[in-house]
Amino acid sequence: MPRDETPSSPPEAPTTLILLVRHGQTPTTGTVLPGRAPGLHLSEAGVEQAGRVAERLAALRIDAIYASPLERTLETALPTSARTGVPVVEDDGLLEGDFGDWTGAQLADLYRKPEWKTVQQRPSAFRFPEGESFVEIKDRMTATLERLRRAHDGGTAVCFSHADPIRVAVSDAMGTPLDRFQRLSIGPCSVSALSYQDGRDPVVLTVNSTQDTLAQLRAS
């Protein structure tokens, strides 16, 4: 090598931005565990929330939009699609947890069940009766986000999903044990942002963001 030349550094791997957006408010938000039951739509407040989050997301260059195939997530995603011109792709990996026999139950009734303590304090040991376990929800979300981030390497993908799957995914990205994911709050139409780069752990850029501008958000 000539003396006036210096070794060049290898190019840095591209960074990928994954935005996790919870669906907007529904008529049963905070009172019922709807799970995957069909027919639940956004409330008037939820429609307004979907419009506001679309405006926030439109500040970014978005390469792909994915959504859980349930009505409330698709209805939340559509205003963002309209603002950006990016079509919505349904993805089963972003579905709400399968709550089995607890689907449609009143939360006030579930709070009185002895199993609720396990849900809150040791979710890694809990499986919903005839449904998914929290470990399976975590594995499903981890695999889904890995697949989507590789499909859009170096780009930005928005994923419309549900509270528990998002909380589990963010907790896992932070390296937090599954039994502590309940400490995270994910409100309706909030945005949580994860940055991915090959050879590095994920970076959590923001969690449960509902008001701040997203214009300066960059993968890192």
Side-chain angles (χ1 to χ4, degrees), residues 83-95:
R83 285 291 300 266
T84 62
V86 179
V88 179
V89 178
E90 297 182 26
D91 195 303
D92 288 347
L94 299 172
L95 267 167

Side-chain angles (χ1 to χ4, degrees), residues 37-119:
L40 181 59
H41 299 271
L42 294 182
S43 64
E44 183 176 339
V47 171
E48 293 176 357
Q49 291 168 342
R52 288 198 300 271
V53 80
E55 183 177 354
R56 298 178 69 211
L57 292 167
L60 301 170
R61 181 185 63 81
I62 294 173
D63 299 290
I65 298 174
Y66 294 92
S68 156
L70 295 176
E71 292 95 336
R72 58 193 186 272
T73 36
L74 291 173
E75 290 169 2
T76 306
L78 285 176
T80 298
S81 176
R83 285 291 300 266
T84 62
V86 179
V88 179
V89 178
E90 297 182 26
D91 195 303
D92 288 347
L94 299 172
L95 267 167
E96 175 65 288
D98 182 353
F99 299 142
D101 294 343
W102 285 19
T103 299
Q106 295 287 324
L107 289 173
D109 294 333
L110 295 177
Y111 295 159
R112 291 192 285 268
K113 287 181 174 290
E115 301 98 314
W116 192 255
K117 185 175 181 179
T118 304
V119 171

Side-chain angles (χ1 to χ4, degrees), residues 20 46 49 69 78 128-129 147 190 192:
L20 300 172
Q49 291 168 342
L78 285 176
F128 290 95
R147 169 170 52 82
S190 65
S192 300

